[in-house]
Amino acid sequence: MDFESQIKQWITNDPMRMKALDLTAQMFKELEVDDWYIAAGFVRNLVWDKLHGAAESVLDDIDVIYYCNEETSVYRDKLIELALAEMASFPWSVKNQARMHIKNQHPAYTSAKDAMSYWPELQTAIGVKLDERGDIAVESVFGLPCLFNLTVNYNPKADESVFMERVASKPWFNEYQNLSLEL
């Protein structure tokens, strides 16, 4: 199975996800920011829902990440969230990764992809966006097999206690019975 093509097909067939990608692409084109993705549960949950034959889970948030050194204020992120919310009442969560290393106590990130490389579990470090031609681009820091193999793996670059807190607090193992935890 070509995992990337499968993700693209599932997203293409999901009107809400396509609308979120289109609106986000429009927003960052206006802001002249090329380094952005919708990441985390936006992709992860879709894949796990499909592999479990489950109804699509409700997204608590749509994690929009971007990297821009020129303006790193939380205020800018909130303005982007508000602008996106005016276009569609989705649960937007926008974060400029150029400042998130401070909160997470990591070395400074160099890009949105670099920021994802520090996320606690490998399966969450996957983002999608629309490229300049309007095609879906998939960025997976650790590859797609671990997501399709239905495992939850600790990222050695991350704080293990944060990983364990996320595993305990997320409903993953209740919602997706075929998942297994691999440390």
Side-chain angles (χ1 to χ4, degrees):
M1 174 190 293
D2 178 357
F3 299 137
E4 185 172 325
S5 293
Q6 184 62 74
I7 289 172
K8 289 177 179 182
Q9 179 186 3
W10 286 335
I11 290 174
T12 300
N13 293 332
D14 185 320
M16 185 279 299
R17 281 181 169 81
M18 283 304 298
K19 184 173 183 177
L21 279 171
D22 185 52
L23 294 175
T24 306
Q26 289 176 40
M27 176 63 59
F28 285 112
K29 183 176 182 178
E30 289 175 21
L31 295 172
E32 298 180 355
V33 173
D34 294 326
D35 190 357
W36 67 270
Y37 297 96
I38 300 181
F42 189 83
V43 179
R44 182 198 61 228
N45 292 6
L46 175 66
V47 171
W48 287 349
D49 287 343
K50 295 293 188 184
L51 294 177
H52 282 84
E56 289 185 24
S57 54
V58 175
L59 289 172
D60 296 332
D61 57 12
I62 295 177
D63 292 300
V64 177
I65 65 168
Y66 70 103
Y67 188 88
C68 178
N69 263 331
E70 295 169 16
E71 172 57 65
T72 61
S73 73
V74 174
Y75 178 71
R76 182 181 195 209
D77 292 353
K78 294 300 176 193
L79 288 176
I80 295 170
E81 278 180 16
L82 287 171
L84 288 168
E86 285 181 11
M87 294 187 271
S89 61
F90 296 152
W92 301 102
S93 174
V94 177
K95 300 230 177 357
N96 185 352
Q97 301 302 296
R99 73 161 193 287
M100 294 307 294
H101 68 284
I102 299 166
K103 176 184 183 242
N104 298 324
Q105 300 176 350
H106 295 152
Y109 305 142
T110 58
S111 66
K113 180 181 178 181
D114 183 45
M116 286 192 289
S117 79
Y118 286 87
W119 289 3
E121 59 279 340
L122 307 184
Q123 293 73 13
T124 301
I126 300 169
V128 292
K129 68 188 227 176
L130 295 181
D131 65 19
E132 58 280 347
R133 295 181 315 271
D135 297 329
I136 297 170
V138 178
E139 183 61 65
S140 175
V141 177
F142 302 104
L144 296 170
C146 63
L147 179 63
F148 280 80
N149 290 342
L150 297 172
T151 57
V152 178
N153 303 83
Y154 165 65
N155 177 0
K157 286 174 78 173
D159 182 334
E160 189 171 359
S161 66
V162 171
F163 170 76
M164 294 308 293
E165 287 172 20
R166 285 178 55 81
V167 166
S169 69
K170 298 285 184 178
W172 299 330
F173 295 97
N174 292 329
E175 291 179 14
Y176 307 111
Q177 288 75 33
N178 296 326
L179 284 183
S180 63
L181 180 64
E182 293 186 8
L183 298 174

